[in-house]
Amino acid sequence: MNIQDFIRDIPDFPKPGIIFKDITPLLANPKALISCADQLTSFCPEGEKIDKVIGIEARGFIIGGMIAERLGAGFVPVRKKGKLPYTIKSKSYGLEYGEDTLEIHTDAIASGERVLIHDDVLATGGTAKAVCDLVQELGGVVVQCNFIMELDFLNGKDKLDVPISSLLNY
Ligand code: AMP
């Protein structure tokens, strides 16, 4: 099954010059969705114990949850500012224009827990780097960041000093 067939390019969304990689056709197709989650789960090194899978709001929640179920791990949401109800740790990071903030519950990762981080797209890497920092500040170990796709021309990998896997490269 070719996952690429289920990724739709939307030019100039959310602003001019950006080609948005729309994963909703993938999410809507049961076989493609299962295949994508299976393949991303198989990227997790054999015998590597994962305690928690983090999904990054919002598109990382769906397949992140499926990977957690497949690995027998817990699921942890990392959310945009102001959405999580309990005590939080926050990290602000630079966007192309301005700044954004991601948050995690302080009790979501225990010291020493082994964590897999999932999101749909690795672009400039600022988002994934912020999440890696949050996990490490809580005492967790980032075993892998995995993505449905990587936008190679934005060099997001250079920001991350953890293992990275993705299904598709653009
Ligand atoms: P970045 O921090 O630049 O790596 O951006 C990654 C985050 O922005 C991810 O949560 C993606 O969902 C989203 N994102 C960035 N660029 C795109 C794109 N071209 N298409 C879809 N989502 C994107």
Side-chain angles (χ1 to χ4, degrees):
M1 166 148 288
N2 191 355
I3 299 300
Q4 197 157 358
D5 295 343
F6 299 89
I7 309 292
R8 179 164 57 191
D9 281 0
I10 312 285
D12 299 321
F13 183 88
K15 53 187 178 187
I18 304 285
I19 299 176
F20 189 86
K21 297 291 186 186
D22 178 19
I23 64 164
T24 59
L26 167 67
L27 300 177
N29 183 289
K31 284 194 178 133
L33 180 61
I34 288 169
S35 169
C36 181
D38 285 344
Q39 291 182 64
L40 287 174
T41 304
S42 75
F43 289 159
C44 188
E46 192 91 21
E48 193 80 73
K49 180 173 164 16
I50 301 292
D51 299 299
K52 300 277 168 59
V53 174
I54 288 183
I56 304 176
E57 184 170 0
R59 290 181 297 279
F61 288 172
I62 303 140
I63 290 173
M66 295 173 77
I67 296 170
E69 186 270 337
R70 283 160 168 73
L71 292 173
F75 177 79
V76 172
V78 163
R79 300 207 63 183
K80 307 271 168 63
K81 192 180 169 70
K83 299 286 180 92
L84 287 171
Y86 184 61
T87 52
I88 47 131
K89 187 172 246 317
S90 322
K91 183 69 63 182
S92 295
Y93 59 101
L95 295 174
E96 208 175 342
Y97 300 103
E99 215 183 57
D100 215 343
T101 302
L102 288 173
E103 296 182 340
I104 190 169
H105 276 156
T106 49
D107 64 351
I109 308 288
S111 183
E113 278 193 323
R114 302 176 61 75
V115 177
L116 186 152
I117 296 170
H118 168 76
D119 202 2
D120 61 340
V121 176
L122 175 65
T124 66
T127 305
K129 170 75 170 91
V131 178
C132 286
D133 289 349
L134 286 171
V135 170
Q136 284 159 0
E137 286 167 22
L138 290 175
V141 177
V142 179
V143 175
Q144 184 184 86
C145 288
N146 85 31
F147 305 92
I148 302 172
M149 72 201 96
E150 241 178 280
L151 307 182
D152 293 336
F153 55 94
L154 293 173
N155 301 316
K157 258 189 174 147
D158 297 349
K159 283 211 181 73
L160 304 173
D161 50 9
V162 296
I164 294 166
S165 292
S166 37
L167 267 180
L168 304 171
N169 293 79
Y170 291 91

